[in-house]
Amino acid sequence: MFLLGSLAACLAPLPAVAADLDAGGLTFRDFSTNDNGASFNRGDPMMAGGPNQVSSKVLGVDSDKGLARLQFSSIRIVVSLPLGWQATEDWERGVAYSSDKHYRLIVWRVDFAFEGVKDAEHYAATKTGSIQARRPSIQAQARKLGDGTFLIVYENVPRGQGDSEPRTVFDLVMQRPGNPKEGVLMTLGVPASDAARGMKLLALLKQSMSIIW
């Protein structure tokens, strides 16, 4: 589990509501390779996740817009992804990544009660404090967006295998309307030097996501 429940009581409230994410005029074409969706039909034996990973279903390809619509069937979520990416899933999450694997996306369902928190806001605050307690070198901040979604930004995240620099990671925590016990977590990790560009991609991903609650 992501959370350390004992930290929750000592966390400060989230900062004030911020504006929603903005793609800044960028589109999926700015992140895509025009291969007509061929990349989504290729397997990747080097992708982590174990033997239960399967390729996600392609619902459609729009080469003019530089995107494909992918269905993560196991978690009942549809996303648009840049052409040239790949996507897989297992029983609990959907995973997507750019051709060079520098941009990496994970989408999960979240049971807030199981995580030891009461709702999306409590989750965002507690996860922020938990990460900073375990990894003091990481700077983390959570903000509530105008639509009620919570954005967490982690800076100075240590580079992983194959990375050439530290990373910036974005979490979007979305709560099910009418049910504070359920939600969706979208995590996008990018090279630190691409943080501003990565946030614009996050805006595109958020705008295009369809959740079957």
Side-chain angles (χ1 to χ4, degrees):
M1 294 194 299
F2 284 120
L3 306 178
L4 297 178
S6 60
L7 289 171
C10 63
L11 293 176
L14 291 175
V17 174
D20 204 352
L21 293 170
D22 185 355
L26 297 187
T27 71
F28 281 102
R29 287 177 59 90
D30 294 291
F31 301 91
S32 70
T33 301
N34 194 0
D35 64 353
N36 201 34
S39 63
F40 294 105
N41 296 316
R42 294 197 300 267
D44 186 351
M46 300 303 293
M47 183 62 194
N52 295 322
Q53 290 247 331
V54 297
S55 295
S56 296
K57 182 179 181 180
V58 179
L59 300 179
V61 174
D62 190 330
S63 295
D64 290 338
K65 293 183 178 179
L67 62 85
R69 290 288 284 171
L70 272 290
Q71 178 176 293
F72 293 132
S73 299
S74 60
I75 56 174
R76 304 187 310 282
I77 292 175
V78 176
V79 296
S80 292
L81 296 172
L83 296 181
W85 282 42
Q86 289 184 269
T88 63
E89 61 183 283
D90 57 25
W91 66 272
E92 66 173 352
R93 63 180 184 170
V95 177
Y97 49 97
S98 61
S99 58
D100 58 10
K101 298 185 176 61
H102 291 170
Y103 281 51
R104 302 192 285 268
L105 175 74
I106 304 177
V107 185
W108 314 74
R109 290 276 177 162
V110 183
D111 181 333
F112 294 125
F114 177 77
E115 298 289 355
V117 296
K118 62 182 181 180
D119 55 22
E121 181 172 5
H122 193 192
Y123 179 92
T126 307
K127 185 178 179 184
T128 303
S130 141
I131 293 293
Q132 290 183 311
R134 286 184 289 161
R135 305 294 293 269
S137 63
I138 295 177
Q139 292 89 51
Q141 185 176 36
R143 285 190 176 275
K144 185 177 183 180
L145 302 181
D147 65 352
T149 300
F150 294 91
L151 170 66
I152 313 174
V153 181
Y154 308 93
E155 297 179 285
N156 200 35
V157 177
R159 63 187 184 187
Q161 184 176 2
D163 296 327
S164 60
E165 61 177 289
R167 298 178 64 75
T168 297
V169 176
F170 305 100
D171 272 348
L172 274 179
V173 187
M174 294 157 274
Q175 185 168 290
R176 179 173 181 171
N179 186 349
K181 296 181 180 180
E182 297 181 24
V184 167
L185 172 65
M186 173 185 281
T187 300
L188 176 67
V190 304
S193 60
D194 275 4
R197 184 175 170 85
M199 186 170 285
K200 292 180 173 64
L201 175 59
L202 187 68
L204 294 171
L205 295 169
K206 178 176 181 288
Q207 293 163 12
S208 72
M209 175 187 287
S210 298
I211 304 170
I212 303 170
W213 292 110

